[in-house]
Amino acid sequence: MGLKPVKIGLLGLGTVGSGAVQVLSRNAREICRRAGRGIVISHAAALEPPKLPIDTSAIKITQDGFAVVNDPDVSVVIELIGGYQPALELVLKAIENGKHVVTANKALIARHGNEIFAAAQKHGVTVAFEAAVAGGIPIIKALREGLAANHIEWAAGIINGTGNFILTEMREKGRDFSEVLVEAQALGYAEADPTFDIEGIDAAHKLTILASIAFGIPLHFERCYTEGISHITRDDVAYAEALGYRIKHLGVTRKTQQGIELRVHPTLIPERCLIANVNGVMNAVLVKGDMVGQTLYYGAGAGALPTASAVVADLIDVVRSLTTDPNNRVPHLAFQPDSIKDDPILPIGDIETAYYLRMLAEDVPGVMGRVTTALGRAGISIEAVIQKEPSEGVAQVPIIMLTHRVHEKQMQAAIAEIESMDCIAGSVTRIRLENLE
Ligand code: HSE
């Protein structure tokens, strides 16, 4: 413990930045016992003066992020400002200056990670990003190190806390979508732009990172199929429940012989699955390795202190490795850089899942026959059907179906045929279904 404390530069003193300052202060002794030396934030950049419940007088505070990344006393930069710019420019400058970087910025890593890791390798520094995926859950560490003996077959996770919070409140309390979103924003869970949460973009950032580490492929955020939860209705939540399923917003990535599946969308999963019972802002990731079988990781996916827990864990890792040879550190994307393989990412049409379908049909004889014939012609077999009673004075009835697995292309063709029938009103709702077996 004779080494001098390591000086840290912090970019951003918002929800997670304030959390990191608190964690480092409250757990300073324990952190020092683990890292082998003290860790102190010496220089921070924030647009507004911080409002923290602890004494920050020893931290030099500026509005200029470049003053922090150019500070010769700083060995590690923590980037917690989020977004693409100026985060990218600051991170690349820090790397160029020979500083290690810890970031919680999933958007930055998912979109610019290939460039950032190449720069880090060139300059012999580490860029750590545990907090970018699933908040406080050490899923990056588990995938990259704990499961390193396996071929990863697939991973599926609830990786957006805000979306899970909204779906849970809708199911349990019948609350309104927009009212719950406002609450998630007030609690500091939602992104600066909450459409990132409800349209699946935040989950797509995180899944892109998980897929790279699971399969040793470059980051391909632009190829991730992304669908959010804003079109999910309370009726769908209730019908799914009647059939023994829960609707969760899942990120799914799977290695197949044809390529890699990379998709984020609402998904029916059997309510008996552990992950179907992950509620509120909690996150969970299921990973299937060929040797270990299924493993499940659960915890807080958002919030100041849980996310800061992951940031500080990365910081401790970086401090421990300050004196190690850069070529002998754990590779950023789990595989050695020259072993990264650009396997194809499959278009959504080539992906096979089961489906939940809901349509509004005229209450006349023969409708069900026409619908099932259209599905049958597309090679789609039906697993379950519910036809609801018509409401008084309404000529149309909802029909809900579960199908067996089929290629998305075939399902799209069948849905187009059903929607063209004069006995079907409006469009057919389709939600993918996974048994996670
Ligand atoms: N907006 C994100 C979420 C924060 O709700 O999960 C954590 O990445």
Side-chain angles (χ1 to χ4, degrees), residues 163-182:
N164 202 40
F165 182 61
I166 293 173
L167 287 175
T168 303
E169 292 287 305
M170 281 172 77
R171 185 179 64 80
E172 288 182 352
K173 301 180 191 153
R175 285 180 72 191
D176 191 51
F177 186 100
S178 41
E179 173 199 321
V180 189
L181 176 60
V182 170

Side-chain angles (χ1 to χ4, degrees), residues 106 159-162 189-191 197 202 206 301-302:
K106 51 253 161 151
I159 46 180
N160 180 264
T162 301
Y189 302 148
E191 294 303 297
D197 296 295
D202 176 74
K206 294 165 178 167

Side-chain angles (χ1 to χ4, degrees), residues 42-368:
S42 61
H43 203 165
L47 289 180
E48 285 169 24
K51 294 184 206 98
L52 286 165
I54 51 170
D55 177 18
T56 53
S57 55
I59 307 175
K60 186 168 151 193
I61 297 183
T62 169
Q63 289 197 337
D64 178 13
F66 287 95
V68 174
V69 300
N70 289 325
D71 180 340
D73 288 340
V74 161
S75 305
V76 186
V77 169
I78 306 181
E79 183 277 303
L80 300 174
I81 47 183
Y84 303 121
Q85 287 294 5
L88 176 62
E89 215 183 319
L90 287 163
V91 163
L92 291 175
K93 189 70 190 164
I95 293 170
E96 192 189 313
N97 289 343
K99 300 182 196 307
H100 302 273
V101 174
V102 173
T103 180
N105 191 335
K106 51 253 161 151
L108 182 72
I109 297 296
R111 259 196 202 273
H112 299 289
N114 300 322
E115 177 189 356
I116 290 171
F117 298 138
Q121 202 196 348
K122 181 171 158 208
H123 291 277
V125 297
T126 298
V127 175
F129 51 94
E130 181 65 71
V133 183
I137 307 173
I139 184 65
I140 300 291
K141 189 128 188 130
L143 258 179
R144 193 160 55 183
E145 298 174 48
L147 300 179
N150 290 262
H151 280 107
I152 304 298
E153 295 178 2
W154 55 263
I158 296 171
I159 46 180
N160 180 264
T162 301
N164 202 40
F165 182 61
I166 293 173
L167 287 175
T168 303
E169 292 287 305
M170 281 172 77
R171 185 179 64 80
E172 288 182 352
K173 301 180 191 153
R175 285 180 72 191
D176 191 51
F177 186 100
S178 41
E179 173 199 321
V180 189
L181 176 60
V182 170
E183 191 179 336
Q185 285 175 286
L187 290 167
Y189 302 148
E191 294 303 297
D193 177 354
T195 55
F196 274 42
D197 296 295
I198 59 180
E199 299 305 344
I201 300 157
D202 176 74
H205 286 144
K206 294 165 178 167
L207 187 73
T208 300
I209 299 171
L210 287 181
S212 287
I213 292 175
F215 306 123
I217 55 171
L219 293 139
H220 281 307
F221 167 68
E222 71 291 349
R223 294 192 212 158
C224 182
Y225 174 80
T226 306
E227 190 181 308
I229 58 167
S230 53
H231 61 291
I232 299 294
T233 66
R234 271 190 248 166
D235 282 350
D236 291 320
V237 172
Y239 293 142
E241 193 148 26
L243 288 158
Y245 291 84
R246 298 257 164 96
I247 300 179
K248 291 289 178 189
H249 190 242
L250 279 195
V252 181
T253 185
R254 187 189 311 268
K255 188 162 186 163
T256 72
Q257 290 196 326
Q258 292 70 40
I260 309 277
E261 295 181 12
L262 190 62
R263 52 193 169 98
V264 164
H265 48 70
T267 315
L268 268 76
I269 48 179
E271 65 187 2
R272 63 172 188 278
C273 288
L274 275 175
I275 198 168
N277 296 283
V278 170
N279 290 319
V281 74
M282 303 309 273
N283 280 194
V285 184
L286 258 174
V287 182
K288 171 82 191 303
D290 63 343
M291 296 295 122
V292 71
Q294 281 195 17
T295 56
L296 176 65
Y297 308 85
Y298 169 86
L305 295 178
T307 311
S309 160
V311 168
V312 174
D314 268 351
L315 192 53
I316 294 170
D317 257 2
V318 168
V319 168
R320 283 172 177 151
S321 70
L322 282 177
T323 51
T324 57
D325 172 357
N327 292 319
N328 292 331
R329 295 184 187 139
V330 179
H332 289 111
L333 291 179
F335 293 73
Q336 297 300 332
D338 57 2
S339 296
I340 298 284
K341 277 177 44 193
D342 204 358
D343 289 336
I345 308 289
L346 294 174
I348 192 70
D350 291 349
I351 281 161
E352 196 187 81
T353 63
Y355 288 87
Y356 159 100
L357 303 177
R358 176 172 57 81
M359 60 203 82
L360 210 49
E362 296 293 328
D363 190 19
V364 291
V367 173
M368 188 70 89

